[in-house]
Amino acid sequence: MAESTRERILDAALRAYGTEGFAVTSLDALATELGIRKQTILYYFPSKQAIFEAVVDRAASDLVKVFEEQAARGVGGLDQVEAIVKRVFRLAVRRPQLLGLIREVTRPGSLSIDRLSAHTAPIFDRARDFLQREMDAGRMRASDPEMLLLSLYSTVVGVATELEVQRAMGISDSLRGAVARRQELIRFLRAALEPV
Amino acid sequence: MAESTRERILDAALRAYGTEGFAVTSLDALATELGIRKQTILYYFPSKQAIFEAVVDRAASDLVKVFEEQAARGVGGLDQVEAIVKRVFRLAVRRPQLLGLIREVTRPGSLSIDRLSAHTAPIFDRARDFLQREMDAGRMRASDPEMLLLSLYSTVVGVATELEVQRAMGISDSLRGAVARRQELIRFLRAALEPV
DNA sequence: ACGATCCTCTACCAATTGGTAGAGAGGAGT
DNA sequence: ACTCCTCTCTACCAATTGGTAGAGGATCGT
């Protein structure tokens, strides 16, 4: 078979947890979607929580990979910020469940937040150092790099994922809409970050 | 009694739905917290969903009030943006469940998104017009006001509510931390919006 | 032919879920 | 004394939840 049952379960779980949410997705629903029995799922994973953790682990390493690929390119200044925004948007379009899962994990009640941040802490540190370096070199407006990173995170993830808000605001959620949002977001960030 | 049972139920529901989430909060849990029986809750509200809708209605009008109060002041340009950010932060500190509920409603699966946007649509329109006016007057950098509004929304709500992310990034979630975040956010937004 | 291992299944289970039916307490108006 | 209305309760229910126990089929090396 092209894909093992275990992989299929993880795929379906990522989709479901990243869109509908963890709490509302029952094992039965997951199993039905896959055309198998709930007990088959519980053969591969000891509990529902364990599935979630496995999904988070896989999603986190996918995310980290995206960032590390871009970091390895060694681009500097605002061009690097723009490149990362583009990559996040590509991810949001191609695999919206991935960013949806991030939002699910970062909810107040979530248990797996530490699991996620264990993966992402290195790239957060790296991003902070990057911002600090670029500020020192005068290629970026000086400010607190940690707080700036938080603002950047919120803005990019929000614009990329808040589809319901956009719909409510009357903004198209088509692919063209996504491109327009990305373009506007990059203009917005460039304006905020350009050195004086 | 100072507060009717109905009001107490709505208060507890707002807190629970805005922090733990709608799906994971059972009627029994709500009732236990209030020291009453679940059936008492169902006397005041026909169903669990109806409670949610009532909570959304109340929260929405509270939110709208905050915006309308500030809009009535007739401040212009970036000072008005700053004033609104400050008000949102005050809300995030005093009543974090309110913004938490917004995030709950704007989740992909939510049924009450239209209910919320029915309340908020007027202030969105007003905000868009405001941005357009300020741009035309040269008090703000020109761009697509609708997209800009989305970016502003994402950034402000994100920085104000993503406490788990901040904790994972090692940022303090104390009151002092909130003030620092607000300050940095305002600097960030001013830089992004200042006319060239 | 053999057991061993891997995988998926049927059959259950206790706990929890949202919701229904209706009793009964208390006060207000007559 | 009477009924009516408001409110909270006990008792119950069918459906769904995550999870256990263990049977049975396939495929493997021996």
Side-chain angles (χ1 to χ4, degrees), chain B residues 3-194:
Chain B
E3 204 182 14
S4 75
T5 305
R6 202 190 133 93
E7 293 298 309
R8 288 183 61 226
I9 293 170
L10 285 177
D11 285 347
L14 169 61
R15 193 210 52 73
Y17 297 162
T19 56
E20 273 99 53
F22 175 70
V24 301
T25 304
S26 69
L27 294 180
D28 275 312
L30 221 51
T32 304
E33 184 186 327
L34 289 166
I36 60 176
R37 246 39 64 191
K38 163 175 65 173
Q39 286 71 16
T40 304
I41 296 178
L42 287 165
Y43 167 77
Y44 289 97
F45 301 93
S47 69
K48 192 188 177 188
Q49 182 64 32
I51 306 175
F52 190 60
E53 286 169 8
V55 168
V56 168
D57 282 343
R58 231 182 37 159
S61 59
D62 283 4
L63 274 173
V64 168
K65 207 186 301 166
V66 167
F67 279 89
E68 286 189 338
E69 266 176 35
Q70 183 57 42
R73 298 212 157 187
V75 183
L78 299 188
D79 291 341
Q80 181 72 327
V81 174
E82 177 168 341
I84 286 178
V85 170
K86 281 186 177 168
R87 277 182 183 261
V88 171
F89 261 78
R90 205 178 308 154
L91 213 58
V93 169
R94 287 191 198 169
R95 302 179 65 194
Q97 332 87 25
L98 256 183
L99 293 180
L101 189 79
I102 300 302
R103 306 216 44 173
E104 182 76 10
V105 176
T106 56
R107 297 190 61 188
S110 172
L111 299 152
S112 300
I113 176 82
D114 294 331
R115 212 176 178 89
L116 176 66
S117 58
H119 284 91
T120 54
I123 56 173
F124 270 144
D125 291 346
R126 208 155 153 179
R128 198 196 327 106
D129 293 350
F130 168 80
L131 291 176
Q132 184 70 65
R133 214 180 320 120
E134 300 301 304
M135 286 175 191
D136 291 345
R139 284 189 292 271
M140 210 176 274
R141 189 186 309 244
S143 68
D144 181 333
E146 209 155 56
M147 296 289 177
L148 177 61
L149 192 53
L150 173 62
S151 297
L152 289 173
Y153 169 86
S154 297
T155 313
V156 176
V157 172
V159 173
T161 64
E162 293 270 26
L163 296 177
E164 294 296 331
V165 172
Q166 292 162 35
R167 201 173 59 78
M169 285 169 78
I171 297 178
S172 154
D173 65 345
S174 66
L175 184 61
R176 279 178 67 182
V179 173
R181 265 151 45 215
R182 193 189 69 186
Q183 213 163 31
E184 177 60 31
L185 175 59
I186 288 172
R187 271 227 300 273
F188 179 76
L189 295 181
R190 278 198 176 269
L193 297 176
E194 244 161 26

Side-chain angles (χ1 to χ4, degrees), chain A residues 72-87:
Chain A
R73 295 210 161 188
V75 182
L78 299 187
D79 290 341
Q80 181 72 327
V81 175
E82 176 167 343
I84 286 177
V85 170
K86 281 185 175 169
R87 276 182 185 264

Side-chain angles (χ1 to χ4, degrees), chain A residues 8 32 38 60 81 86 91 97-98 102-103 115 131 154 157 168 172 194:
Chain A
R8 288 183 63 224
T32 304
K38 164 176 62 173
V81 175
K86 281 185 175 169
L91 213 57
Q97 333 88 24
L98 256 184
I102 300 302
R103 306 217 41 174
R115 215 180 175 87
L131 291 176
S154 297
V157 173
S172 154
E194 245 160 25

Side-chain angles (χ1 to χ4, degrees), chain A:
Chain A
M1 61 198 89
E3 204 181 13
S4 74
T5 306
R6 192 171 197 276
E7 292 298 310
R8 288 183 63 224
I9 294 171
L10 284 177
D11 285 347
L14 170 61
R15 192 209 52 73
Y17 297 162
T19 56
E20 274 98 52
F22 176 69
V24 300
T25 304
S26 69
L27 294 180
D28 275 311
L30 222 51
T32 304
E33 185 187 325
L34 289 166
I36 60 177
R37 246 40 63 193
K38 164 176 62 173
Q39 286 70 14
T40 303
I41 296 179
L42 287 166
Y43 167 77
Y44 289 98
F45 302 93
S47 70
K48 192 189 176 187
Q49 183 63 33
I51 307 176
F52 190 60
E53 286 168 7
V55 167
V56 169
D57 282 343
R58 231 182 37 158
S61 59
D62 283 5
L63 274 173
V64 169
K65 206 186 300 166
V66 167
F67 279 88
E68 287 191 336
E69 266 176 36
Q70 184 57 41
R73 295 210 161 188
V75 182
L78 299 187
D79 290 341
Q80 181 72 327
V81 175
E82 176 167 343
I84 286 177
V85 170
K86 281 185 175 169
R87 276 182 185 264
V88 171
F89 262 78
R90 206 178 308 155
L91 213 57
V93 170
R94 288 191 196 167
R95 302 180 65 194
Q97 333 88 24
L98 256 184
L99 292 180
L101 188 79
I102 300 302
R103 306 217 41 174
E104 182 76 10
V105 176
T106 56
R107 299 191 59 190
S110 172
L111 299 153
S112 300
I113 175 83
D114 294 331
R115 215 180 175 87
L116 176 67
S117 58
H119 284 91
T120 55
I123 57 174
F124 269 144
D125 290 346
R126 207 154 153 181
R128 200 197 325 110
D129 293 348
F130 168 80
L131 291 176
Q132 185 69 66
R133 214 180 320 122
E134 301 299 306
M135 285 174 191
D136 291 344
R139 284 189 293 270
M140 211 177 274
R141 186 185 312 242
S143 68
D144 181 333
E146 209 154 55
M147 296 289 177
L148 177 60
L149 193 52
L150 173 62
S151 298
L152 289 173
Y153 170 86
S154 297
T155 314
V156 175
V157 173
V159 172
T161 64
E162 291 272 26
L163 296 176
E164 293 296 331
V165 172
Q166 292 162 35
R167 201 173 59 79
M169 285 169 78
I171 297 178
S172 154
D173 64 345
S174 65
L175 183 61
R176 279 178 66 182
V179 172
R181 265 151 44 216
R182 192 190 68 185
Q183 212 162 34
E184 177 60 32
L185 175 60
I186 287 172
R187 271 226 301 271
F188 179 75
L189 296 181
R190 277 196 176 271
L193 297 177
E194 245 160 25
V196 281

